[in-house]
Amino acid sequence: MSNILVKGIMPALVSSFTNDGTILKDSMKKNIDRNYAQGAAGFYICGSTGEGPVLTTAQRKEIAECVTEASAGRGIIVNHVGAASPFDAFELARHAKDCGCDAVSSVVPNFYYKYNEDEIVEYYKRLADESQLPVIAYAQSLLTSDPVSLMEKLIKVDGIIGVKFTLTDFYSMRRIKELNNSDINVINGPDEMLICGLSMGADAGIGSTYNLMCAEYCRLFNQFKSGDIEGARATQYKINKVVEILIKYGVIRSIKYVLSLDGIPAGDIAYPGTPLTEEEKKSLVAELTSVGYFDNYNK
Ligand code: MN9
């Protein structure tokens, strides 16, 4: 039986909340519906885009419950449970199972102390035991060991099914995809290089900017899968005009502001983060308008 759970485009869902602790459930539900209408295959929640690691465990549980309820089986929900304390991560992982998530994911344990590969393997193994859900590791800049050698070990552990690969070394991505007779979920992380990940065998993409352009990412994915590589390239280049602007103003704060223009008020940036100033809002909108964002994307 294949372990490929995640195929297609999964927005790393923005978490809507206010800094007094309130989760804005209606806003989250609207965003979920909009993304499904555009073709999302599910959502990755409470990761860096979802600001999970800086929210409280109680808030993270409330978000997971809100998302699984709103998603209502329409797609796959991967809950990122990584936290400064592994025991908070395990608690969130058990809760993820209870509230109907399909898989959990986590960054490597990383707070100050740099853990060695065996310690990292032990952490993911226990995460699989505690959650009783499939586990997707997360290779990104916090990872201090070699991603290929780590995944060689992790894919042998019961319950660990793959990796969200937010690095730009696509040679390593390919080597990971060839492990376990390619029965391993490899998910592309950098939105602006989705086509590179797909070229090296990624099964899916997870990304922050998908919240604003899910339809474009789905188009790119489908073009690539149907062999229309020129079309996929053109879509990636079009997407990147917007990604470049979002990076310039700050990805999460910009996405939250643009969502609010679309009737999805996503609330605050997690404390102590600050929202865009009025001036920044104006110039962000001017730049997005100049590349046609409001007319030619998100359709
Ligand atoms: O995982 C995100 N990476 C991080 C996905 O948050 C570290 C991406 O979606 C980026 O935000 C995006 C913009 O650079 O590619």
Side-chain angles (χ1 to χ4, degrees), residues 12 48-49 138 140 164 166 189-192 206-209 243 247 251:
S48 26
T49 306
Y138 191 170
Q140 37 88 286
K164 174 178 187 292
T166 308
D191 305 1
E192 52 278 48
I206 289 174
S208 57
T209 64
V243 174
I247 290 174
V251 175

Side-chain angles (χ1 to χ4, degrees), residues 132-202:
Q132 292 298 305
L133 285 174
V135 172
I136 296 172
Y138 191 170
Q140 37 88 286
S141 54
L142 294 170
L143 181 63
T144 41
S145 77
D146 172 61
V148 184
S149 102
L150 177 65
M151 287 314 299
E152 255 165 7
K153 291 183 180 162
L154 284 181
I155 200 61
K156 294 189 181 116
V157 176
D158 252 9
I160 299 180
I161 63 161
V163 62
K164 174 178 187 292
F165 190 91
T166 308
L167 300 170
T168 52
D169 170 7
F170 293 97
Y171 171 56
S172 291
M173 178 196 260
R174 180 68 211 159
R175 288 173 66 210
I176 292 171
K177 185 60 201 170
E178 290 187 7
L179 297 173
N180 203 34
N181 293 319
S182 293
D183 193 12
I184 178 168
N185 291 261
V186 173
I187 307 168
N188 185 77
D191 305 1
E192 52 278 48
M193 287 168 263
L194 175 60
I195 194 169
C196 308
L198 293 174
S199 302
M200 292 307 240

Side-chain angles (χ1 to χ4, degrees), residues 61-62 64-65 90-100:
K61 287 183 180 175
E62 204 177 327
E65 287 163 19
F90 299 149
E91 184 182 334
L92 287 167
R94 292 190 298 270
H95 176 264
K97 164 92 172 169
D98 292 344
C99 78

Side-chain angles (χ1 to χ4, degrees), residues 2 11 18 25 27 46 54 67 89 92 104 110-111 153 179 200 205 208 211 214 222 232 234 255 269 284:
S2 164
T18 51
K25 294 184 184 168
S27 160
C46 288
V54 289
V67 171
L92 287 167
V104 293
N110 62 76
F111 191 66
K153 291 183 180 162
L179 297 173
M200 292 307 240
S208 57
N211 282 273
C214 191
N222 293 331
I255 292 174
I269 306 297
L284 169 65

